[in-house]
Each structure stands twice: as structure tokens, then as C-alpha cells.
Amino acid sequence: MSQQEEAASYYAETAFRADAIPHQAPPPDKSFFGKLGSAFDVARLPWGHYIGINPTEYEVDEAWFFNYQYMEEDYHDYTMINEMRWSQFVDEDISLLYRFFRSIFVICSYGFSFIGGGGGYFFSAIALFLLLFLLGAELFDPSETFPFDALAVPLVVFAFCGLATIFRHFHGKYNIRFYKSNRNWSDDIAFCRRTGMVKTFRGEFPFYEFDAVIEMSADMKGSQYHTLKVRHRYPQHSKHPNPGVKHLLEFSFVTGGSIAERYALWDMLCRYMDVSQPLPDIPCLEPFRHLDPTTKAFDEAGQRGRPATYWRDLYAKASEKELKQLREEHRKVVDAAPWGSRPDLMAQSVPGYGDSYTAEPKDVNAYGRFPGKSDSFVKRPEATPSEPQQDASSQNDGTR
């Protein structure tokens, strides 16, 4: 069987290809989604014209190798993303009582630990301040009997935070065992590469019916938070079964860092779904590259530019310091990429698609900080289909 025949038999007729997006109905009135530049949607991201850069959290991911080693042959089904689907929901086979006690355990172990941003040092500092206050009171008033019982307060706090630190360490190291036996990423709520469909609680919809927006929110202190939302374009067809629920059908994709990281995440999701493109060259997908016909042909032709076990070898040998350096280097690559002012392929397939989103921010990070700037946009050029894209991070790095 030739590579073309293998791909044709493997992918469904509905599989997504950026160069074959069908004509669709006009989108509903923009009041459904809010206006670009409002307090909610900062930007709508374009379709096609891949840059080939993955978000840092997926490009440099320490957790994947530990999970891969522990799960071994089960890694394919228990990981969030494989060559068939990018799951968006976790099935859990546990009771409500267990969920309650697990929540208490996680809150205490993570909230009071001395590591990973826990509050152990904060609570210990309060206890230490209380102890010093009592000692000071004894020095200024020798007639007072020193309340030795008060020593129990800081000692209990130190002991509790220390215990929380130990529990957090072991939870982070061994919770994968619980995950393997009691939780599983669902195949029923997922972005499916083979079929080009998005499975949801409200039914299945073609991937090309979804749009990506950067949504901005702010807390009481004025700090901004940006989230990548992948939202169904036709809410009249994806209403919630419960008439009282008015929420749009959308998925949140979380990644840290700059707004450019959200652009990179959308770029990666589109390349993942586009069967004319190889799978994104990220660590957690490396074990499955040979299972996807397009990726297999791409690699066998020598276009990947990396050994078949590049990521596995890297993580088996790299130190935490080296991974930190790789992460910082990749963040600079993401931020420097030309995300702004790109064409939008979807404008060719959806009438009126670009009427309210006629431009793209030239500097996406600056626009996120100052969404009211009048000079933040440049007009998008005409769109042309994307060519098969090699991940930019794999170019010229050999075995690194």
C-alpha cells in the first residue's frame, strides 16, 4: 500500500485540511461574542499560515517523560494527547466522598508546603513573629511568667507545614499511579485528528466551525489575564440541552507566559488537526509519530531533521538546569515570532467573516497590555493556503 493509499484509508473524509475548508454560512451577529478590543475579546486569531512554533509549556515539558516511563505501554491511552485525539475531559472512577477528602488533602498539602509556592513560609513567619513577640514581652516585663505553652503554636505550625511539604512531594511524585488506576482522559470530549471533528457534550462539530480568540479578564487589582478560547462560531446550532444554560460552546486552552504563547498554542492545535501537516514535534507526541501516516511519511523522508527518539534521549540526559535554559530560550523564540498581521484563510470560506475582524495586531504582546491603542492593528493581506510545515524549533538543531 502506498503512502497516499495508507493516508486515505486512515483519515476520515471529514478530516480537516487547511487547503480544503468548505464554504460555510455567515456567522451570527457579532453581539453574540462581543466586539474586538472590548474588555473581553482582545483578538481573534487567524486560520492557516502556520509559523510552526509550539508553546513553551508543550515544547519543554518535564512531566511527560516521568509519565511516559511509568505508564509504559498504557501511555498512549492515558495521556491527554495522542495521534488520534486531544482530549478535553477527564473521566474519574471515584466516589463523591473520595473527591471531598482528596480536595482537602490537595488544598492542605499544596497550600501549606514550603515548596512550589505554598504558604509554608508565610504561616511559619507568622508563628515565628508570635514567638518573638512573646520573648520580647518577657524581656520588658521580667515579672511576667513566660508562657511556655505558647511555644506549642510555632512548633505545631512548623510541624504541620513540614508534613504538608512531605505529602506534596510524594503526591507530585506518585499521583500518576492514582491517575492510571482511577482517571482517564476521555475519547468522547476531544479534538479528533483522524475525523476532523470536535466531540462535545452538545454533539460533534467540524473543527473549521470553531474560532480562536484571546479573552482578557482582570482581577480587583487591575491585573490582566489572557486565555485562549476556542469557540463554536454558530451558537444557534450548539445550544446547551438545558434551555436555561446560555453559555457558548467553547474550550479553554491554558498556557503560561506572554500572549504570544496563546498564538503558538492555536498554531499548534491547528497543525495537530490538519492532516496535511505532520504532528507537532513536541515531547508527548513523539512516541506516536509513526502511527500517523502523514507524520510517518514526513519523518521517513528526512524532513523532521531529528532522530526518532530525540525527545526521549534529551529528557533522559538533561538536567533541571539545562531544561530551564531550554525553556528560557524557547520563550524568546515564541515572543520573537511574527504572529501579527497574518492572512486569515477562513475569510475565503465564510461570507462576512472578516467584517468585524479586518486586521491583526502587529505586536500581539503590546496589544494585550494596551488594548485601546489606535495603532495596534495592521490590515491583513489576502490569504493563500499553507504549505506543509516543519516545526521551526527543529530546524538546524540536529541532536541539540
Side-chain angles (χ1 to χ4, degrees):
M1 181 183 295
S2 66
Q3 292 178 343
Q4 291 81 2
E5 292 173 334
E6 181 182 2
S9 62
Y10 182 84
Y11 302 120
E13 292 184 1
T14 54
F16 172 71
R17 294 176 176 82
D19 59 355
I21 300 175
H23 291 285
Q24 302 157 71
D29 186 86
K30 59 186 178 182
S31 61
F32 269 102
F33 309 108
K35 298 180 180 180
L36 181 64
S38 70
F40 301 102
D41 291 352
V42 175
R44 187 172 73 188
L45 281 57
W47 284 85
H49 298 275
Y50 308 127
I51 291 181
I53 295 177
N54 305 311
T56 304
E57 286 188 12
Y58 287 83
E59 180 83 10
V60 186
D61 175 19
E62 300 93 326
W64 89 275
F65 189 63
F66 173 76
N67 296 345
Y68 174 73
Q69 285 186 308
Y70 178 76
M71 290 184 176
E72 296 180 342
E73 68 276 2
D74 295 328
Y75 179 69
H76 179 275
D77 295 330
Y78 281 89
T79 187
M80 179 182 185
I81 177 174
N82 57 35
E83 86 287 355
M84 298 174 63
R85 56 98 181 108
W86 187 332
S87 182
Q88 297 296 302
F89 183 74
V90 173
D91 290 319
E92 290 193 300
D93 185 21
I94 58 176
S95 66
L96 290 177
L97 183 62
Y98 191 98
R99 291 174 191 263
F100 172 76
F101 283 110
R102 185 187 63 182
S103 299
I104 298 299
F105 171 81
V106 171
I107 291 173
C108 291
S109 60
Y110 279 69
F112 291 88
S113 72
F114 291 114
I115 60 176
Y121 289 111
F122 172 76
F123 293 110
S124 297
I126 293 179
L128 183 60
F129 174 80
L130 177 61
L131 179 61
L132 293 175
F133 177 79
L134 293 173
L135 289 173
E138 174 65 16
L139 291 175
F140 283 104
D141 190 357
S143 63
E144 291 290 331
T145 303
F146 183 76
F148 288 98
D149 292 344
L151 288 174
V153 175
L155 290 176
V156 169
V157 172
F158 293 150
F160 183 82
C161 291
L163 192 62
T165 304
I166 295 173
F167 283 148
R168 174 166 184 172
H169 169 75
F170 284 106
H171 179 267
K173 187 174 182 180
Y174 297 111
N175 77 89
I176 190 65
R177 297 183 179 180
F178 168 83
Y179 185 96
K180 185 176 179 179
S181 60
N182 294 286
R183 295 195 293 172
N184 185 22
W185 285 102
S186 172
D187 293 336
D188 299 324
I189 310 296
F191 288 74
C192 303
R193 176 175 168 90
R194 287 185 65 178
T195 64
M197 304 297 286
V198 180
K199 294 182 177 181
T200 77
F201 289 110
R202 306 185 191 184
E204 291 190 35
F205 304 93
F207 177 59
Y208 54 74
E209 288 188 358
F210 287 77
D211 292 320
V213 298
I214 302 294
E215 186 178 85
M216 182 182 72
S217 59
D219 59 18
M220 296 296 291
K221 298 180 180 179
S223 300
Q224 294 182 8
Y225 300 93
H226 298 88
T227 306
L228 173 65
K229 294 291 185 72
V230 179
R231 181 180 298 159
H232 192 235
R233 189 183 308 123
Y234 305 104
Q236 67 272 30
H237 300 310
S238 55
K239 295 179 181 178
H240 196 278
N242 183 350
V245 178
K246 303 298 183 181
H247 297 301
L248 298 170
L249 175 59
E250 63 182 14
F251 295 90
S252 297
F253 286 80
V254 179
T255 185
S258 63
I259 295 179
E261 296 281 358
R262 279 75 176 168
Y263 276 75
L265 185 51
W266 172 240
D267 190 272
M268 187 178 76
L269 175 61
C270 289
R271 285 183 284 117
Y272 172 81
M273 290 295 292
D274 189 345
V275 297
S276 68
Q277 305 286 322
L279 289 170
D281 196 352
I282 54 177
C284 61
L285 279 175
E286 184 176 66
F288 318 128
R289 292 181 68 86
H290 66 286
L291 301 176
D292 180 77
T294 300
T295 311
K296 180 181 177 181
F298 183 85
D299 291 353
E300 289 180 348
Q303 293 179 273
R304 183 188 181 193
R306 287 173 169 171
T309 58
Y310 171 79
W311 290 115
R312 279 170 281 185
D313 295 341
L314 174 65
Y315 280 86
K317 300 174 183 177
S319 65
E320 184 175 343
K321 181 179 180 181
E322 290 171 327
L323 292 176
K324 182 178 180 181
Q325 181 180 354
L326 291 177
R327 189 181 302 108
E328 295 303 320
E329 291 175 353
H330 191 74
R331 284 198 182 104
K332 295 177 182 178
V333 172
V334 173
D335 288 340
W339 300 111
S341 66
R342 288 179 295 152
D344 194 336
L345 277 179
M346 197 58 68
Q348 299 177 338
S349 303
V350 179
Y353 182 79
D355 288 349
S356 60
Y357 294 84
T358 56
E360 178 78 359
K362 187 173 182 179
D363 182 347
V364 296
N365 289 323
Y367 183 72
R369 292 189 295 270
F370 306 105
K373 289 178 63 178
S374 60
D375 60 346
S376 294
F377 289 100
V378 293
K379 187 173 178 59
R380 283 179 175 150
E382 292 296 322
T384 56
S386 294
E387 295 295 329
Q389 180 68 52
Q390 177 186 10
D391 281 21
S393 58
S394 68
Q395 298 174 7
N396 302 319
D397 70 347
T399 57
R400 190 176 278 171

